[in-house]
Amino acid sequence: MTRSAKDLVASAMLALLAVLAWPLAPWSETEIHRIAITATGAKDARSQGSEVWLTGLPDGLDFPELLAGRSTSGGWEMRDGVAVSYRGQPSTLRFEGPLPGGGAFTFVRHGWSGEVIVEVNGATVTENLFDPAPDGKPLTLGLERFPAGITVATSRWPMFLTAWLATTFAIFLALKVLARMPAAAQYEERSSYARDTLRHALPALAIFVVVLLGTWPAQMSPDSVSQWGQLASGAYNNAHPVLHTILIGGPGYVLGSPGWSILLQIVLLALACGALAAEIRRWNMSPAAVWIVSFLVPLLPAVHLISTVFWKDVPYAAGIAVLTAMTMALARTGGALARRPDYVLAFALTLFLVATFRHNGILVAAGTLVLIGLVVRRRAGRRLLAAGLVAGVALPVLWSAVVLPAVGVGGVGRHYGGIIPLHLLGGMVAADAIGDQDTLERLDAILPMEEWRETYDCLNVVPLFWAPGIDYGKIDASLFLPAIRAAIAAPDVALAHLLCVNSSVWRLSPTEGAVHTLVPLGIWKAEPPLDAPGLVEQPVIPKLNVWLKAEFAWTTASTPRFVLFWRPTFMFLLLAGCLAMAVLRNPSACLPLALACAPALLNTLSMLPLTGSQDFRYQLPIYMIGPFLMALAIGAGQNAGFRAGPTRENA
């Protein structure tokens, strides 16, 4: 198969994933509703008229569409954006078509009101709208009060095929343009790794400093303020990893402002970007391409607008980026770097920080070590694995289970052990999929059944987990057993729950509320005892603060912009396309690229039970690392002679 044919096949497959993820299916089931609203002309004997004012409609229906189906031209009219009938009665508004469901008809009631008949899907409701009060309470007729519509199968093949072909062409064209990027000659290691890292960190550092000047001293959510409060009170808790609280928050607290902590954080972020750039430069990438990516990553709103947030996720993402650079170097040298003691020490330290800066980090560390063990099998590789297991798995476990309790640091509450099964059980309750009486009684003791249904949100565990009146004493990891039993009994419900929870990493179209809490863009105002010194918003350049907020508003104002700048699925699809092209062009690059992508992808996989549209920061690593991985894949794909193996490494 020629290279162009391979490119076309990869483009077509990626385009198919894209149109399905939007989502755009070639077929669908649509619920057709038949609606008729009639102003009869009849009225109450006390009414001074027979007016009917229709001011609210069900979701998906608008007034121009409804008035297009009126039975008489003068019987209904638009007035101040609503539908009114006061002459030419009786007169009827008709609509037949799909509606998403939900919402209601709303009618004004006053002393001039008459009678209205509302017919939906064959069911009829007749209402006298007269109310002698000057501002009578409106009448609301919810769509759920009427029978369901008729479900019909509809075909969207023309739209689907058009979107698929257009997307295939766009991807194919983009890949051809990228393929014409000039490849550099094999990079000679005349420049030290440290110097390359510092040089390529400068763009990120400059951009992050600008953001800090506009958000000084920091952006702080309730979680951030809680950690700052721990520094003020001395009562530490590992619910927010205490190592992050002390190592990042500690210097700022000593100096009197979280701004100094953020300054440390953005330096670490910039150095992580520099390390990735220095590494991909050694994969036969042109200098221009490396500099483009070095500027592009910090320019992404999802990176620089989060750079000054006091969240554990930010230095954790920097740790994942450094770990990625180290695994890339290991893959590039065929494991030869594992013989160097300085590399082994740096690798072990990075694994320890990744495993302790966020609770899922230990899964990322363990998974990375497993993949390294499969790819690098030399004796030096075994020494590296041993050091990694100690630093990335054993020591973090001892740190949380032994060291912190011994020095009086509180652990994660027992109820947090049940947060994942609690969310899944919430989905089961909402779908009435739990038939076991003992489980129902246990859940009812935690929270009344009606409140389970009211507070469950498949996109976010917070409403359920923090529901008023919930009994945390009855929540712990033992909930996994009934959750697993329920999932086995109703696998379709469990799968639907998990797909919804993780919609941000597989579905391009954003869900409702996805824009909220992406960034604080300020400091959460806390009350004592969480409040602590230094939590005062004082932008060094106030106009920058306005510009940053305007940037956030602009990038989230429409679906295409939101997808482009903030939807993790978009980044994953781009990365998948670049990886597919690299493997098709150069199959020998498959294992090295898999090892290079491991930390970022393992981070996403380790968060599958908890990822939600409100938790974008969980996917920050893919925005920091994704463009570098794409550049790496393009470089490896262009260099058909690339082979992973020992190279001269004196960086």
Side-chain angles (χ1 to χ4, degrees), residues 326-344:
M326 300 190 82
T327 57
M328 286 163 60
L330 194 67
R332 174 172 52 84
T333 61
L337 273 178
R339 294 196 297 265
R340 292 178 47 165
D342 56 344
Y343 176 86
V344 174

Side-chain angles (χ1 to χ4, degrees), residues 247-295:
L247 292 183
I248 304 298
Y253 187 77
V254 170
L255 295 173
S257 170
W260 305 112
S261 294
I262 299 302
L263 184 60
L264 171 62
Q265 177 173 284
I266 64 176
V267 168
L268 294 175
L269 273 180
L271 289 174
C273 291
L276 283 167
E279 177 55 36
I280 65 169
R281 181 66 185 88
R282 286 158 171 76
W283 285 66
N284 202 28
M285 291 294 295
S286 68
V290 176
W291 279 109
I292 287 172
V293 180
S294 298
F295 276 94

